[in-house]
Amino acid sequence: MASNTVVHQEENTGTQWGGGKEPFKASYGKLMMWYFLLSDAFTFAGFLIAYGALRFSMKSWPVPDFVFSSLPGGIHHKPLIFVTIMTFVLLASSFTMVRAVQEGHRENKNGVVKWMLMTVVGGLMFLGCQAWEWTTLIGGEHMSVTVNPFGTHTEAGVYMEGDGHDIKEGDTFNAGQSYLIHKVDGEYHQLEYKVTEGPDAGKVKQLSFGPKAFGALFFFITGFHGFHVLSGVAFLLIITLNVATGLYVKRKNGYEMVEKIGLYWHFVDLVWVFVFLLFYLL
């Protein structure tokens, strides 16, 4: 009965899977890379959804224009310019990765090496920018995973204070520094402001810290992404060395290993777009 069923199915289809063939015209290695990227996408999605849920449930969340407004050289109050440069560098490295894959399809070893090295440079530049940003936030503005020195205020000078659930609005202040810690005589103090309107006019108050979750989520998620970039740079260097030594020449498969690491690199760039959107724009 079983043999008759098999014969009947073969007669209907006219074909039979021979085994060892590439499903979806993709090699085993490419399929495994896609499976890994899919699982990693779910991981990042979970982190970013958690951040978004907290972000929109707290009215006292820091304003990105004030948090990310510094540039190297002591330049301040230039919102989002530095992170835009970071984003451009990373996206440019995605273009150089595309060129490396194209040269691999042409079996052009020297072209692959050249464009992969440029991709490595782009990755290192991005990591350097991220290191500067972290150093500025931690060393210059004293932000940590447990302390968020950034409060929420509007350009009109209205300060929103509270724990994010019971917000009180009304006190006004003279707009100045956006962070809440400053250095006086070698010691750091929480920033104070003088109430200029309302029943408490004339009183000096201390600005309360922002939600702790902001610093923790920022360092964790951007650090997790940075770890992916660092890992990608390491793999790029290893594969570039293999290409330069001619390891993949005999395979005649269009430098498939370069294409696989290219998939990973494009994924890392795509994830950064969503990180940029949530942390720096919303």
Side-chain angles (χ1 to χ4, degrees), residues 88-154:
F88 174 79
V89 168
L90 195 60
L91 294 181
S93 72
S94 194
F95 168 77
T96 58
M97 189 69 246
V98 169
R99 292 292 292 116
V101 172
Q102 290 176 339
E103 294 301 326
H105 289 163
R106 297 168 185 165
E107 299 290 342
N108 181 6
K109 183 180 75 173
N110 292 334
V112 173
V113 171
K114 180 184 76 172
W115 289 107
M116 288 195 70
L117 285 177
M118 292 181 67
T119 305
V120 169
V121 171
L124 292 175
M125 289 176 62
F126 176 84
L127 290 172
C129 290
Q130 191 170 57
W132 182 88
E133 182 181 52
W134 277 35
T135 301
T136 301
L137 290 173
I138 296 173
E141 299 179 356
H142 314 288
M143 178 172 154
S144 70
V145 296
T146 58
V147 175
N148 169 25
F150 296 97
T152 296
H153 61 269
T154 67

Coordinates of all heavy atoms in Angstrom, one line a residue, residues 88-154:
F88 N 25.0 58.5 9.2 CA 25.5 58.6 7.8 C 26.7 57.7 7.6 O 26.8 57.0 6.6 CB 25.9 60.0 7.5 CG 26.5 60.2 6.1 CD1 25.8 60.2 5.0 CD2 27.9 60.3 6.0 CE1 26.4 60.3 3.7 CE2 28.5 60.4 4.8 CZ 27.7 60.4 3.6
V89 N 27.6 57.7 8.6 CA 28.8 56.8 8.5 C 28.4 55.3 8.4 O 28.9 54.6 7.6 CB 29.7 57.1 9.7 CG1 30.8 56.0 9.8 CG2 30.4 58.4 9.6
L90 N 27.4 54.9 9.2 CA 27.0 53.5 9.2 C 26.3 53.1 7.9 O 26.6 52.1 7.4 CB 26.1 53.2 10.4 CG 26.0 51.7 10.8 CD1 27.3 51.1 11.1 CD2 25.0 51.6 11.9
L91 N 25.5 54.0 7.4 CA 24.8 53.7 6.2 C 25.7 53.7 5.0 O 25.6 52.9 4.0 CB 23.7 54.7 6.0 CG 22.5 54.7 7.0 CD1 21.4 55.7 6.6 CD2 21.9 53.3 7.0
A92 N 26.7 54.6 5.0 CA 27.8 54.6 4.0 C 28.5 53.3 4.0 O 28.9 52.8 2.9 CB 28.7 55.8 4.2
S93 N 28.8 52.7 5.2 CA 29.5 51.4 5.2 C 28.6 50.3 4.6 O 29.2 49.3 4.2 CB 29.9 51.1 6.7 OG 28.7 50.8 7.4
S94 N 27.3 50.5 4.7 CA 26.4 49.5 4.1 C 26.6 49.5 2.5 O 26.6 48.5 1.9 CB 25.0 49.8 4.4 OG 24.2 48.7 4.1
F95 N 26.8 50.7 2.0 CA 27.1 50.8 0.5 C 28.4 50.2 0.1 O 28.4 49.4 -0.9 CB 27.1 52.3 0.1 CG 27.6 52.5 -1.3 CD1 26.8 52.3 -2.4 CD2 28.9 53.0 -1.5 CE1 27.3 52.5 -3.6 CE2 29.4 53.2 -2.7 CZ 28.6 53.0 -3.8
T96 N 29.4 50.4 0.9 CA 30.7 49.8 0.6 C 30.6 48.2 0.7 O 31.3 47.5 0.0 CB 31.8 50.3 1.5 OG1 31.5 50.0 2.9 CG2 32.0 51.8 1.3
M97 N 29.8 47.8 1.6 CA 29.6 46.3 1.7 C 28.9 45.8 0.5 O 29.2 44.7 0.0 CB 28.7 46.0 3.0 CG 28.6 44.5 3.3 SD 30.2 43.9 4.0 CE 30.6 42.7 2.7
V98 N 27.9 46.5 -0.1 CA 27.3 46.1 -1.3 C 28.3 46.0 -2.4 O 28.3 45.1 -3.2 CB 26.2 47.1 -1.7 CG1 25.7 46.9 -3.1 CG2 25.0 47.0 -0.7
R99 N 29.2 47.0 -2.5 CA 30.2 46.9 -3.5 C 31.2 45.7 -3.4 O 31.6 45.1 -4.4 CB 31.0 48.2 -3.5 CG 30.3 49.5 -3.9 CD 29.9 49.4 -5.4 NE 31.1 49.5 -6.2 CZ 31.6 48.6 -7.0 NH1 30.9 47.5 -7.2 NH2 32.7 48.8 -7.7
A100 N 31.5 45.4 -2.1 CA 32.3 44.2 -1.9 C 31.6 42.9 -2.4 O 32.3 42.1 -3.0 CB 32.6 44.1 -0.4
V101 N 30.3 42.8 -2.2 CA 29.6 41.7 -2.6 C 29.6 41.6 -4.2 O 29.7 40.6 -4.8 CB 28.2 41.7 -2.1 CG1 27.3 40.6 -2.7 CG2 28.2 41.5 -0.5
Q102 N 29.4 42.8 -4.8 CA 29.4 42.8 -6.2 C 30.7 42.4 -6.8 O 30.7 41.6 -7.8 CB 29.0 44.3 -6.7 CG 27.6 44.7 -6.4 CD 27.4 46.1 -6.8 OE1 28.3 46.9 -6.9 NE2 26.1 46.5 -7.0
E103 N 31.8 42.8 -6.2 CA 33.1 42.4 -6.7 C 33.3 41.0 -6.5 O 34.0 40.3 -7.3 CB 34.2 43.3 -6.0 CG 34.2 44.7 -6.4 CD 34.4 45.0 -7.8 OE1 35.1 44.2 -8.5 OE2 33.8 46.0 -8.3
G104 N 32.7 40.4 -5.4 CA 32.8 39.0 -5.2 C 32.2 38.2 -6.3 O 32.7 37.1 -6.7
H105 N 31.0 38.6 -6.7 CA 30.3 37.9 -7.8 C 31.1 37.9 -9.1 O 31.0 37.0 -9.9 CB 28.9 38.6 -8.0 CG 28.0 38.4 -6.9 ND1 26.8 39.1 -6.8 CD2 28.0 37.4 -5.9 CE1 26.1 38.7 -5.7 NE2 26.8 37.7 -5.2
R106 N 32.0 38.9 -9.2 CA 32.8 39.0 -10.4 C 34.2 38.3 -10.2 O 35.0 38.3 -11.1 CB 33.1 40.5 -10.7 CG 31.9 41.3 -11.1 CD 32.2 42.8 -11.1 NE 31.0 43.6 -11.3 CZ 30.9 44.9 -11.1 NH1 31.9 45.5 -10.6 NH2 29.7 45.5 -11.4
E107 N 34.3 37.7 -9.0 CA 35.5 36.9 -8.7 C 36.7 37.9 -8.7 O 37.9 37.5 -9.1 CB 35.8 35.8 -9.6 CG 34.7 34.7 -9.6 CD 34.6 33.9 -8.3 OE1 35.6 33.9 -7.5 OE2 33.6 33.3 -8.0
N108 N 36.5 39.1 -8.3 CA 37.6 40.1 -8.3 C 38.1 40.2 -6.8 O 37.6 41.0 -6.0 CB 37.1 41.5 -8.7 CG 38.1 42.6 -8.7 OD1 39.3 42.3 -8.5 ND2 37.8 43.8 -9.0
K109 N 39.2 39.5 -6.6 CA 39.7 39.4 -5.2 C 40.1 40.8 -4.7 O 39.8 41.2 -3.6 CB 40.9 38.4 -5.1 CG 41.4 38.3 -3.7 CD 42.6 37.3 -3.7 CE 43.9 37.9 -4.3 NZ 45.0 37.0 -4.1
N110 N 40.9 41.5 -5.5 CA 41.4 42.8 -5.0 C 40.2 43.8 -4.7 O 40.3 44.6 -3.8 CB 42.3 43.4 -6.1 CG 43.6 42.6 -6.2 OD1 44.0 41.9 -5.2 ND2 44.3 42.6 -7.4
G111 N 39.2 43.8 -5.6 CA 38.1 44.6 -5.4 C 37.4 44.3 -4.1 O 36.9 45.2 -3.3
V112 N 37.2 43.0 -3.8 CA 36.6 42.6 -2.5 C 37.4 43.1 -1.3 O 36.8 43.7 -0.4 CB 36.4 41.1 -2.5 CG1 35.9 40.6 -1.1 CG2 35.5 40.6 -3.6
V113 N 38.7 43.0 -1.4 CA 39.5 43.4 -0.2 C 39.4 44.9 0.0 O 39.2 45.4 1.1 CB 41.0 43.0 -0.5 CG1 41.9 43.7 0.5 CG2 41.1 41.5 -0.5
K114 N 39.4 45.7 -1.1 CA 39.4 47.1 -1.0 C 38.1 47.6 -0.4 O 38.1 48.4 0.6 CB 39.5 47.8 -2.4 CG 39.4 49.3 -2.4 CD 39.5 49.9 -3.8 CE 38.2 49.7 -4.5 NZ 38.1 50.4 -5.8
W115 N 36.9 47.1 -0.9 CA 35.6 47.6 -0.4 C 35.4 47.0 1.0 O 34.7 47.7 1.8 CB 34.5 47.2 -1.3 CG 34.6 48.0 -2.6 CD1 35.0 47.5 -3.8 CD2 34.2 49.3 -2.8 NE1 34.9 48.5 -4.7 CE2 34.4 49.7 -4.1 CE3 33.8 50.3 -1.9 CZ2 34.2 50.9 -4.6 CZ3 33.5 51.6 -2.4 CH2 33.7 51.9 -3.7
M116 N 35.8 45.9 1.4 CA 35.6 45.3 2.7 C 36.5 46.1 3.7 O 36.0 46.4 4.8 CB 36.0 43.9 2.8 CG 35.0 43.0 2.1 SD 35.1 41.2 2.5 CE 34.6 41.2 4.2
L117 N 37.7 46.5 3.3 CA 38.5 47.4 4.2 C 37.8 48.7 4.5 O 37.8 49.3 5.6 CB 39.9 47.6 3.7 CG 40.8 46.4 3.8 CD1 42.1 46.7 3.1 CD2 41.0 46.0 5.2
M118 N 37.2 49.3 3.4 CA 36.4 50.5 3.6 C 35.2 50.3 4.5 O 34.9 51.2 5.3 CB 36.0 51.0 2.3 CG 37.1 51.5 1.4 SD 36.6 52.1 -0.2 CE 35.7 53.6 0.3
T119 N 34.6 49.2 4.5 CA 33.5 48.8 5.4 C 34.0 48.8 6.8 O 33.3 49.3 7.7 CB 32.8 47.5 5.0 OG1 32.4 47.6 3.6 CG2 31.6 47.2 5.8
V120 N 35.1 48.2 7.0 CA 35.7 48.1 8.3 C 36.0 49.5 8.9 O 35.7 49.8 10.1 CB 37.0 47.2 8.3 CG1 37.8 47.4 9.6 CG2 36.7 45.8 8.0
V121 N 36.5 50.3 8.1 CA 36.8 51.7 8.5 C 35.5 52.4 8.9 O 35.5 53.1 9.9 CB 37.5 52.5 7.4 CG1 37.6 54.0 7.7 CG2 38.9 52.0 7.1
G122 N 34.5 52.2 8.1 CA 33.2 52.8 8.5 C 32.7 52.3 9.8 O 32.1 53.0 10.7
G123 N 32.8 51.0 10.1 CA 32.4 50.4 11.3 C 33.2 50.9 12.5 O 32.6 51.2 13.6
L124 N 34.5 51.1 12.3 CA 35.3 51.6 13.4 C 35.0 53.1 13.7 O 35.0 53.5 14.8 CB 36.8 51.5 13.0 CG 37.3 50.0 13.0 CD1 38.8 50.0 12.5 CD2 37.2 49.4 14.4
M125 N 34.7 53.8 12.6 CA 34.3 55.2 12.8 C 33.0 55.3 13.6 O 32.9 56.2 14.5 CB 34.2 55.9 11.5 CG 35.5 56.2 10.8 SD 35.2 56.9 9.1 CE 34.5 58.5 9.5
F126 N 32.1 54.5 13.3 CA 30.8 54.5 14.1 C 31.1 54.2 15.5 O 30.5 54.8 16.4 CB 29.8 53.5 13.5 CG 28.5 53.4 14.2 CD1 27.5 54.3 14.0 CD2 28.4 52.4 15.2 CE1 26.3 54.2 14.7 CE2 27.2 52.3 15.9 CZ 26.2 53.2 15.6
L127 N 31.9 53.1 15.8 CA 32.2 52.8 17.2 C 32.9 53.9 17.9 O 32.7 54.1 19.1 CB 33.0 51.5 17.2 CG 32.3 50.2 16.8 CD1 33.3 49.1 16.7 CD2 31.2 49.8 17.8
G128 N 33.8 54.6 17.2 CA 34.5 55.7 17.8 C 33.5 56.8 18.2 O 33.6 57.4 19.3
C129 N 32.5 57.1 17.3 CA 31.5 58.1 17.6 C 30.7 57.7 18.8 O 30.3 58.5 19.7 CB 30.6 58.3 16.4 SG 31.4 59.1 15.0
Q130 N 30.3 56.4 18.9 CA 29.5 55.9 20.0 C 30.3 56.0 21.3 O 29.7 56.4 22.3 CB 29.0 54.5 19.7 CG 28.0 54.0 20.7 CD 27.4 52.7 20.3 OE1 28.1 51.7 20.1 NE2 26.1 52.7 20.2
A131 N 31.6 55.7 21.2 CA 32.4 55.8 22.4 C 32.5 57.3 22.9 O 32.4 57.5 24.1 CB 33.8 55.3 22.1
W132 N 32.6 58.2 22.0 CA 32.6 59.6 22.4 C 31.3 60.0 23.0 O 31.2 60.7 24.0 CB 32.9 60.5 21.2 CG 33.0 62.0 21.5 CD1 34.1 62.7 21.9 CD2 31.9 62.9 21.6 NE1 33.7 64.0 22.2 CE2 32.4 64.2 22.0 CE3 30.5 62.8 21.3 CZ2 31.6 65.3 22.1 CZ3 29.7 63.9 21.4 CH2 30.2 65.2 21.8
E133 N 30.2 59.6 22.4 CA 28.8 59.9 23.0 C 28.7 59.4 24.4 O 28.2 60.1 25.3 CB 27.8 59.4 22.0 CG 26.4 59.7 22.5 CD 25.3 59.2 21.6 OE1 25.3 57.9 21.3 OE2 24.4 59.9 21.1
W134 N 29.1 58.1 24.6 CA 29.0 57.5 25.9 C 29.8 58.3 26.9 O 29.4 58.5 28.0 CB 29.4 56.1 25.8 CG 28.3 55.1 25.4 CD1 27.3 55.4 24.5 CD2 28.0 53.8 25.9 NE1 26.5 54.3 24.3 CE2 26.9 53.3 25.2 CE3 28.7 53.0 26.8 CZ2 26.4 52.0 25.4 CZ3 28.2 51.7 27.0 CH2 27.1 51.2 26.3
T135 N 31.1 58.6 26.5 CA 32.0 59.3 27.4 C 31.4 60.7 27.8 O 31.5 61.1 28.9 CB 33.3 59.5 26.7 OG1 33.9 58.2 26.3 CG2 34.3 60.2 27.6
T136 N 30.8 61.3 26.8 CA 30.2 62.6 27.1 C 29.0 62.5 28.1 O 28.9 63.3 29.0 CB 29.7 63.3 25.8 OG1 30.8 63.5 24.9 CG2 29.1 64.7 26.1
L137 N 28.2 61.5 27.9 CA 27.0 61.4 28.7 C 27.4 60.9 30.1 O 26.8 61.4 31.1 CB 26.0 60.4 28.1 CG 25.3 60.8 26.8 CD1 24.5 59.7 26.2 CD2 24.4 62.0 27.1
I138 N 28.4 60.0 30.2 CA 28.8 59.5 31.5 C 29.7 60.4 32.3 O 29.4 60.8 33.4 CB 29.4 58.1 31.3 CG1 28.5 57.1 30.8 CG2 30.0 57.6 32.7 CD1 29.1 55.7 30.4
G139 N 30.7 60.9 31.6 CA 31.7 61.7 32.3 C 31.3 63.2 32.3 O 31.6 63.8 33.4
G140 N 30.7 63.7 31.3 CA 30.3 65.1 31.3 C 29.0 65.4 31.9 O 28.9 66.5 32.5
E141 N 28.0 64.6 31.7 CA 26.7 64.9 32.2 C 26.2 63.9 33.3 O 25.1 63.9 33.7 CB 25.7 64.9 31.0 CG 26.2 66.0 30.1 CD 25.3 66.2 28.8 OE1 24.4 65.3 28.7 OE2 25.5 67.1 28.0
H142 N 27.1 62.9 33.7 CA 26.9 62.1 34.8 C 25.6 61.2 34.7 O 24.9 61.0 35.7 CB 26.8 62.9 36.1 CG 27.9 63.9 36.2 ND1 29.2 63.6 36.4 CD2 27.9 65.3 36.0 CE1 30.0 64.6 36.4 NE2 29.2 65.7 36.1
M143 N 25.4 60.7 33.5 CA 24.3 59.8 33.3 C 24.8 58.4 33.5 O 25.9 58.1 33.1 CB 23.7 60.0 31.8 CG 22.6 59.1 31.4 SD 22.0 59.7 29.8 CE 21.3 58.1 29.2
S144 N 23.9 57.6 34.1 CA 24.3 56.2 34.3 C 23.1 55.3 34.2 O 22.0 55.8 33.9 CB 24.9 56.0 35.7 OG 23.9 56.2 36.7
V145 N 23.2 54.0 34.4 CA 22.1 53.1 34.3 C 21.1 53.3 35.5 O 20.0 52.8 35.4 CB 22.5 51.6 34.3 CG1 23.3 51.4 33.0 CG2 23.3 51.3 35.5
T146 N 21.5 54.0 36.5 CA 20.6 54.2 37.7 C 20.3 55.7 37.9 O 19.4 56.0 38.7 CB 21.3 53.7 39.0 OG1 22.6 54.4 39.2 CG2 21.5 52.2 38.9
V147 N 21.0 56.6 37.3 CA 20.7 58.0 37.4 C 20.5 58.7 36.1 O 21.4 58.6 35.2 CB 21.9 58.8 38.1 CG1 21.7 60.3 38.2 CG2 22.1 58.2 39.5
N148 N 19.4 59.4 35.9 CA 19.1 60.1 34.7 C 19.0 61.6 35.0 O 18.0 62.0 35.5 CB 17.8 59.6 34.1 CG 17.3 60.5 33.0 OD1 18.0 61.2 32.3 ND2 16.0 60.5 32.8
P149 N 20.1 62.3 34.7 CA 20.1 63.7 35.1 C 19.3 64.6 34.2 O 19.3 65.8 34.4 CB 21.6 64.1 35.1 CG 22.1 63.2 34.0 CD 21.4 61.9 34.1
F150 N 18.6 64.1 33.2 CA 17.9 64.9 32.3 C 16.4 64.9 32.7 O 15.8 63.9 32.9 CB 18.0 64.3 30.9 CG 19.4 64.4 30.3 CD1 20.2 63.3 30.4 CD2 19.9 65.5 29.8 CE1 21.5 63.3 29.9 CE2 21.2 65.6 29.3 CZ 22.0 64.5 29.3
G151 N 15.9 66.1 32.8 CA 14.5 66.3 33.1 C 13.8 66.8 31.8 O 14.4 67.0 30.8
T152 N 12.5 66.9 31.9 CA 11.7 67.4 30.8 C 11.3 68.8 31.0 O 10.7 69.1 32.0 CB 10.4 66.5 30.6 OG1 10.9 65.1 30.3 CG2 9.6 67.0 29.5
H153 N 11.5 69.6 30.0 CA 11.0 71.0 30.0 C 10.7 71.4 28.6 O 11.2 70.8 27.6 CB 11.9 71.9 30.7 CG 13.3 72.1 30.0 ND1 14.3 71.3 30.4 CD2 13.7 72.9 29.1 CE1 15.4 71.6 29.6 NE2 15.0 72.6 28.8
T154 N 9.9 72.4 28.4 CA 9.6 72.9 27.1 C 10.4 74.2 26.9 O 11.0 74.8 27.8 CB 8.1 73.2 27.0 OG1 7.8 74.3 27.9 CG2 7.2 72.1 27.4

